[in-house]
Amino acid sequence: MSERLSHWSDLPEHLVFWNGMLRNPRSVGALAPSSPYLARHMVREVRRGSRTVELGPGTGAFTGEIVARVGPDGRVLAVDIDAEFCKRVRLAWPQIDCVCASAETLPALAAQRGMSPVDHIVSGLPFASLPAETTRLILDAVCETLRPGGTFTTFQYVHSYPLPPAVAFRRNLTALLGSPPDLDLVVRNVPPAFVLTWHRAQ
């Protein structure tokens, strides 16, 4: 292996992804890195100049799209519990703020940076595989941080969409944000996935 490729952050995305899954399989719920098609659907609500949070950027499949959407006048805060993923994101997008922390601490992280309330939250977190209490705390943090009229976007794989944890997640977040999600099917992903976007009630 060359000296360049011996540096972890220079590994191809799929190898970085599997490295992360082996380190912490419960926090990496995807079966493969997200496709560019899924990434573009995930960020469609993000607006130029907005204050945007990404929860669980992982290898950065959505991060580049978010950065392009917010433009130079926007602000991006990325939060991931995996230190190696954070290193990769910081190297690729030094203009954003990437913090190694739990998503449960989002209200404090956003407030410390003068970003509260945020306009958009884009999440790649594997809620279906997280403990129920962890999911509850993260959703509380989302509700505390997101402004009225702001958006929360995540995805669920087609095969897991009808399962009880996924159904409970959608029901709970709909109750907290005051409106049901918009639903969009992305076939060109492995596996296919539904993109769900909630608009917080005014």
Side-chain angles (χ1 to χ4, degrees):
M1 179 178 288
S2 69
E3 181 179 355
R4 174 175 170 77
L5 286 180
S6 67
H7 192 283
W8 184 91
S9 63
D10 291 324
L11 288 173
E13 181 181 3
H14 68 281
L15 293 182
V16 175
F17 174 86
W18 287 109
N19 183 297
M21 178 170 281
L22 290 172
R23 286 196 313 275
N24 197 346
R26 193 161 197 176
S27 70
V28 182
L31 302 178
S34 298
S35 73
Y37 305 99
L38 179 59
R40 286 194 286 271
H41 280 75
M42 287 287 292
V43 305
R44 285 197 305 187
E45 294 292 335
V46 174
R47 298 293 180 257
R48 188 173 184 84
S50 63
R51 298 181 301 275
T52 299
V53 169
E54 183 179 14
L55 300 179
T59 59
F62 305 151
T63 311
E65 295 287 342
I66 292 171
V67 171
R69 296 280 293 189
V70 302
D73 298 327
R75 296 188 63 188
V76 179
L77 169 63
V79 183
D80 202 300
I81 203 168
D82 189 301
E84 296 299 331
F85 284 160
C86 287
K87 289 179 184 178
R88 183 179 177 90
V89 169
R90 290 176 189 136
L91 285 170
W93 297 280
Q95 70 271 43
I96 74 171
D97 194 352
C98 184
V99 182
C100 185
S102 169
E104 300 169 22
T105 64
L106 177 58
L109 295 175
Q112 289 164 5
R113 289 157 175 79
M115 289 183 64
S116 293
V118 302
D119 301 303
H120 310 288
I121 299 176
V122 176
S123 176
L125 295 176
F127 289 107
S129 64
L130 295 178
E133 178 63 12
T134 299
T135 295
R136 185 188 68 79
L137 292 172
I138 293 173
L139 295 188
D140 287 346
V142 165
C143 291
E144 187 175 339
T145 310
L146 186 65
R147 68 167 174 81
T151 65
F152 175 87
T153 302
T154 189
F155 69 93
Q156 294 179 338
Y157 292 123
V158 169
H159 65 272
S160 64
Y161 185 83
L163 299 180
V167 173
F169 171 84
R170 297 194 301 272
R171 182 177 61 246
N172 292 339
L173 192 52
T174 294
L176 288 169
L177 295 184
S179 66
D182 296 331
L183 192 65
D184 192 15
L185 174 62
V186 179
V187 176
R188 300 178 74 176
N189 190 71
V190 181
F194 288 110
V195 173
L196 301 103
T197 299
W198 282 262
H199 293 76
R200 184 167 194 176
Q202 294 282 356

